[in-house]
Amino acid sequence: MSKKGKTFIISGPSGVGKSTVLKALLEQRKNVYFSVSATTRPPRPGELDGVHYHFMDVESFRKWIAMEQFLEYAEYVGNFYGTPKRYVDEAMEQGKDVILDIEVQGAIQVTSKRPETVRIFIAPPSWEELERRLKARGTDSQEKIQKRLLRAKVEFQTAHTYDYFVINDTVENAVRELDAIMTAEHCKPKERMEIINGS
Ligand code: ADP
Ligand code: 5GP
């Protein structure tokens, strides 16, 4: 086994199913740390502080920025989101793979700091299906849904810059592909040869 874990970025439009797919993936794949982001957006029904997000006000978020606590952060549809650096580094040191569910501006920041990061884009099978899922989730106003759909189209333009592209048609298919990607990334010669050579 490799000594240090790898970081995987998962980006994709709001409502595509990232949380759903990642929850299923984490149930079947061990030695993975899901990075819990900080956000200034209010919790949705059922979301727990410290589990789904670290919910905080804008003032606290700005303090974290000033104290350089974030690996990356971005503004998304009127709220701030950021990845606490410390937990990511601790998990990697423990040999765990780390999953970051972050939007594209954050993905660019992480990649420029840590180019070895693996980037995966998750897309819906169609735009109609994305809109249906956003509405079915029932957590956003019609106005927020339209903003998220608009943002989704802009984000989609960057999808070709990612290392992998997964279509979430069924949760089962998307989980199978993500699992395969993570496994394949551990089969790269550099990492395997380091294991054989004991370095
Ligand atoms: P995201 O985390 O990307 O914003 P969610 O995981 O909250 O998206 O999923 C948005 C909605 O779509 C939820 O109601 C979820 O149950 C549903 N969903 C997720 N994946 C699928 C799928 N493959 N087929 C149908 N519905 C899905
Ligand atoms: P939501 O409000 O639907 O949970 O998330 C909105 C968007 O913010 C999603 O695209 C999600 O990937 C992104 N996001 C969540 N956490 C972070 C983070 O820590 N940093 C960045 N840059 N984006 C995040």
Side-chain angles (χ1 to χ4, degrees), residues 67-85:
M67 293 188 310
E68 299 186 0
Q69 297 284 317
F70 291 123
L71 174 58
E72 60 71 39
Y73 68 92
E75 183 272 339
Y76 179 95
V77 191
N79 290 298
F80 286 115
Y81 295 80
T83 303
K85 189 162 49 184

Side-chain angles (χ1 to χ4, degrees), residues 64-124:
W64 278 46
I65 295 174
M67 293 188 310
E68 299 186 0
Q69 297 284 317
F70 291 123
L71 174 58
E72 60 71 39
Y73 68 92
E75 183 272 339
Y76 179 95
V77 191
N79 290 298
F80 286 115
Y81 295 80
T83 303
K85 189 162 49 184
R86 195 178 120 203
Y87 305 121
V88 169
D89 290 340
E90 279 175 4
M92 284 177 76
E93 288 302 328
Q94 289 165 9
K96 291 182 181 161
D97 285 337
V98 174
I99 293 183
L100 308 180
D101 170 352
I102 62 177
E103 50 69 71
V104 302
Q105 302 171 83
I108 292 168
Q109 293 172 45
V110 176
T111 312
S112 73
K113 286 181 191 162
R114 303 182 178 186
E116 69 284 5
T117 305
V118 180
R119 291 154 309 145
I120 305 166
F121 195 92
I122 303 198

